[in-house]
Amino acid sequence: MPTAIEVLFPLPLPPFRYLVPFGERPGPLGGRVVVPWQSGVRIGLVVGVDEVSAGRSLELREAIGWLDQEPFLPEIHTAFLLEIAGYYATPAGLVLAAMVPTGFKEKLVHEIQAVKRAAIDDLPEDLWVEAARLPVEKLELYRSQGLVLERVRVQERQRRVLRAVRPVDRNLAGRAQANQRCALEMLLTYEWFGSAAELSREAGVPESSVRALVRKGYARYEEVPSPPPALPQVLPSEEGFEAAKEPLDLSIRSSLTGGNRRERLGALVPNLVRETEAGRGCLVLVPEHALLEETASLLAAVLPVEVVSGELSDDQRARLWRELPLGPPVVLVGTYLALFAPQRPLGLLVVLEAGNASYKLASGPRMFVPTVAARFAERLDIPLVFTSALFSPEMSQLVSLEGRKHLAYKRLRYHVSDMSSTRSWPLSTDLVKVLKQVGERKRQAVMLTPRRGFSGGLGCRACGWLGSCPNCDLPLRYHRRDAILRCHQCGASRRPPDECPKCGQVTLVPFRGAGTEWFFSAVKKILPDVPVFRLDRDHQDPLEELHQGEPGILVATTAAFRRAPLPDVGLIVVCLLDTHLNVPDFRAEEETLRLLLELPELVKDRLPLTLLQTFSPSHPVCEVVRAKDLDAAVDAFVERMCARRKAFGYPPFSHLAKVQFSARVSASALQAAERFVASLEIRGARAEEVIGPTPAPVGRIKGFYAQQVFLKAAEVERFRWLLEGVKDAGSGVRVRIDVDPREVNEFLD
DNA sequence: AGCACGCCGACT
DNA sequence: GTCGGCGTGCTC
């Protein structure tokens, strides 16, 4: 029986089948193989081997050859890719692309020759020629007749340089050729230049003179091997960083909560030191690039550190992957891209800020990185630590009681300001009072606003008309400074009308929640002499003055958490807590509490007064932060959240997936969703396992109407079985699956 | 993801 | 009359 291999590519596709190269053995799982692909060739990963019938084998193309002697990826990793793809109901190739960020996009040199005595007139024997010499159909024909030999190797990194071909001669002797002569002499002295522009700069001659040298044959461009790219240098942080003295007594899976970001990292330093000294590498995952630099530079003060993130070029990653296994053990700090980095042996896996929303990959395989990391650590049988301000129900499923480590919370003084008992908007009378104090004492304040722009909308006070997006069922956000209405979902924008399009009156006013612009101008009005800074996605004021301790007020979205802490903050304001609490998601309350517990991370030393503006001052979250014993109150809150999730069958006590059907025609989306639910019933789904279809909370986005169905199952096998029922929904309807959705109401593009 | 094929608007 | 927009479909 012929042998076939299953080959995976870094593309949104499942593995494809090829025949083993003629006369060769299947090769190991996790090896790289070169195969014909459309009209060319490409690199894939062998993820399976099986026998196929002789008849079936006729339909398969033959692989061309192996790329490495040793497996490129250990077998454990290879199997893990497929497992993760299965759980997230995503093509395995997407997981490969996300987890193995190097090794599959190399340029290839593909050469062919005729087999002995094939007597093909358009292909030589005994001489390798570029495959591109032959038209694709010809090559395909000769392949099927077994008339052609093929070989492929990786093209080494090259760069184009300008080199001299012959010396100055009398054709360059004239006065008119002075510039060319000068450039050629310089080129002869230094052997080569990276470009004509570079040479012209160095020689101080116009670029046209250099080009003339090339045209006249005195110089030419050549491809030469280029040196490996430099890796980013991690500069040790100059700031003092309090590392703990003794290692924590960690379990195979642990959590570290409480304190603040730096304290949590500091508490783990002795463990990282111990591992590297024992000759094992450590992996420290961060949720996003913004946290990478801070983390890496703090650790670099005491440990050997390397970094990996999407910011590295392909060549830099290739170099790191090549060199990591050869060098001494390091602490590798990176985003999810670092998870499969070839550090062997690995002694400890740390997932920093495990509750951070950025760990949910928004595109590609919609994986939740902490979950993936936990399964991976389990497979490799190495210890794992989650750190987070707040212990989460998800952690409670993974971490045993002995594994739970806690640092006491920084206790802030909270003041809750009831917006329903104040007439001033958007600054309550309490807030005006404390802001004035901050101004008088020349201190700093941070105000966290729920959104960017001026207001949640622009509407008519007379008739209630509200400007909304032509593509989405959403109000257009009002950006006063740019004098524009903009959709925060699809980006559509338009000029605000001068009068109400509905009733014609000139009574258009900002509606709904205030954003950074509104708070900015409100603060300016009451404190005209205090510098006010704005920070959000649209607008970033330089903050050097604040970082140097100058007085001022920072009005920001949660973008403030991605900046270094400020030195002299006397006041933190959560401008409208309700916006966070009212996010229609079962995690909203926890996320709000997390936000409040992370507030100390905005400030350097002294703990400021924290003022929460809200219409629901007795909300449990407000009660928790005002409790005498904060640590106990948070514990009790998390217990309640766990109990609630258990009662309603939410994760982590069940597996949850959102299946979204979207179409330009509203009825087709609904119809497809209903068909899906009907098919689930035929599969034996129980009533409590299927919720929906329901129209998405924002009914239309970018011109697409969306319907969603939620799938819930206690056991993972059953969950996967139900999810396999998702089929193509027919033309005009897009189906998207999000396993373990973090934002239940997010539109899946 | 790329890449080809295919059908409707603004131009040499 | 053509260039080019991106919708749809395919890759062993």
Side-chain angles (χ1 to χ4, degrees), chain A residues 628-650:
Chain A
K628 249 205 198 90
D629 185 345
L630 180 59
D631 297 282
V634 170
D635 264 358
F637 176 87
V638 173
E639 277 305 309
R640 281 206 304 281
M641 292 299 114
C642 276
R644 194 166 81 184
R645 291 217 211 163
K646 203 168 196 167
F648 289 99
Y650 274 121

Side-chain angles (χ1 to χ4, degrees), chain A residues 161-208:
Chain A
V161 297
L162 189 62
R163 259 189 214 284
V165 179
R166 50 198 171 92
V168 178
D169 55 27
R170 57 195 162 80
N171 289 334
L172 288 184
R175 271 185 67 194
Q177 286 82 36
N179 280 338
Q180 295 172 32
R181 202 167 55 235
C182 170
L184 184 53
E185 275 161 6
M186 169 105 19
L187 187 57
L188 286 161
T189 315
Y190 290 96
E191 281 186 50
W192 58 266
F193 277 84
S195 66
E198 195 186 313
L199 174 56
S200 80
R201 260 197 313 277
E202 289 302 310
V205 303
E207 226 179 290
S208 55

Side-chain angles (χ1 to χ4, degrees), chain A residues 374-386:
Chain A
R375 285 171 183 244
F376 186 56
E378 196 177 347
R379 280 237 177 191
L380 296 183
D381 197 25
I382 56 166
L384 166 90
V385 192
F386 291 126

Side-chain angles (χ1 to χ4, degrees), chain A residues 11-12 84 88-99 287 336-337 357-369 372 702 736-743 746-749:
Chain A
L11 301 174
I84 290 299
Y88 284 100
T90 195
L94 270 189
V95 184
L96 174 68
M99 308 278 267
Y336 64 95
L337 294 175
S358 303
Y359 274 131
K360 176 73 180 182
L361 303 193
S363 58
R366 299 175 180 278
M367 315 184 291
F368 186 60
V369 177
V372 174
K702 297 178 195 173
R736 295 282 126 94
I737 303 176
D738 188 5
V739 172
D740 191 14
R742 308 303 287 191
E743 279 168 49
E746 178 191 22
F747 179 79
L748 308 173
D749 243 330

Side-chain angles (χ1 to χ4, degrees), chain A residues 386-442:
Chain A
F386 291 126
T387 79
S388 173
L390 179 67
F391 192 78
S392 70
E394 278 76 9
M395 291 181 198
S396 73
Q397 281 297 89
L398 291 165
V399 177
S400 69
L401 225 48
E402 306 86 73
R404 291 177 62 159
K405 311 289 169 197
H406 184 75
L407 310 169
Y409 284 115
K410 296 281 172 197
R411 218 177 166 306
L412 296 171
R413 289 169 294 135
Y414 283 96
H415 177 81
V416 177
S417 187
D418 184 358
M419 293 303 277
S420 51
S421 63
T422 177
R423 281 219 314 276
S424 63
W425 175 264
L427 309 177
S428 64
T429 36
D430 293 350
L431 178 51
V432 171
K433 205 160 68 191
V434 290
L435 276 174
K436 283 189 172 156
Q437 282 176 12
V438 168
E440 280 161 21
R441 295 178 192 168
K442 301 213 177 307

Side-chain angles (χ1 to χ4, degrees), chain A residues 36-277:
Chain A
W37 180 264
Q38 296 188 334
S39 60
V41 291
R42 75 175 304 151
I43 307 173
L45 181 76
V46 180
V47 296
V49 178
D50 45 12
E51 306 285 307
V52 289
S53 70
R56 186 71 228 292
S57 77
L58 295 176
E59 301 164 11
L60 299 177
R61 291 170 97 177
E62 195 175 276
I64 294 172
W66 313 113
L67 215 51
D68 343 78
Q69 304 304 310
E70 296 292 305
F72 182 74
L73 209 59
E75 223 171 297
I76 275 195
H77 295 54
T78 307
F80 186 66
L81 284 179
L82 302 180
E83 177 193 325
I84 290 299
Y87 183 71
Y88 284 100
T90 195
L94 270 189
V95 184
L96 174 68
M99 308 278 267
V100 189
T102 181
F104 292 90
K105 287 186 187 148
E106 270 75 353
K107 275 226 175 68
L108 296 173
V109 182
H110 181 199
E111 294 168 313
I112 52 177
Q113 65 173 258
V115 298
K116 287 259 177 309
R117 308 181 46 185
I120 315 173
D121 37 9
D122 46 12
L123 204 58
E125 292 171 18
D126 303 318
L127 177 66
W128 291 104
V129 297
E130 271 186 54
R133 279 253 222 117
L134 221 53
V136 195
E137 316 80 62
K138 272 270 178 66
L139 175 59
E140 198 48 41
L141 179 71
Y142 295 156
R143 264 180 188 151
S144 65
Q145 297 171 342
L147 297 177
V148 66
L149 299 175
E150 298 182 66
R151 72 172 187 190
V152 177
R153 62 187 157 78
V154 174
Q155 163 93 65
E156 63 180 321
R157 282 165 39 86
Q158 287 194 327
R159 57 190 283 187
R160 224 162 73 111
V161 297
L162 189 62
R163 259 189 214 284
V165 179
R166 50 198 171 92
V168 178
D169 55 27
R170 57 195 162 80
N171 289 334
L172 288 184
R175 271 185 67 194
Q177 286 82 36
N179 280 338
Q180 295 172 32
R181 202 167 55 235
C182 170
L184 184 53
E185 275 161 6
M186 169 105 19
L187 187 57
L188 286 161
T189 315
Y190 290 96
E191 281 186 50
W192 58 266
F193 277 84
S195 66
E198 195 186 313
L199 174 56
S200 80
R201 260 197 313 277
E202 289 302 310
V205 303
E207 226 179 290
S208 55
S209 309
V210 179
R211 277 196 228 107
L213 288 178
V214 177
R215 198 179 55 243
K216 295 178 180 172
Y218 289 97
R220 69 157 174 259
Y221 289 102
E222 279 175 24
E223 300 284 331
V224 298
S226 63
L231 294 177
Q233 288 295 305
V234 183
L235 295 175
S237 164
E238 286 169 20
E239 281 177 53
F241 168 53
E242 272 187 48
K245 301 280 178 295
E246 291 297 314
L248 285 172
D249 178 22
L250 299 174
S251 305
I252 185 78
R253 281 194 297 265
S254 314
S255 64
L256 176 60
T257 54
N260 66 28
R261 209 158 73 201
R262 287 174 180 225
E263 287 173 331
R264 292 191 289 271
L265 188 60
L268 288 170
V269 164
N271 295 78
L272 297 170
V273 170
R274 191 172 62 184
E275 291 302 325
T276 47
E277 280 176 357

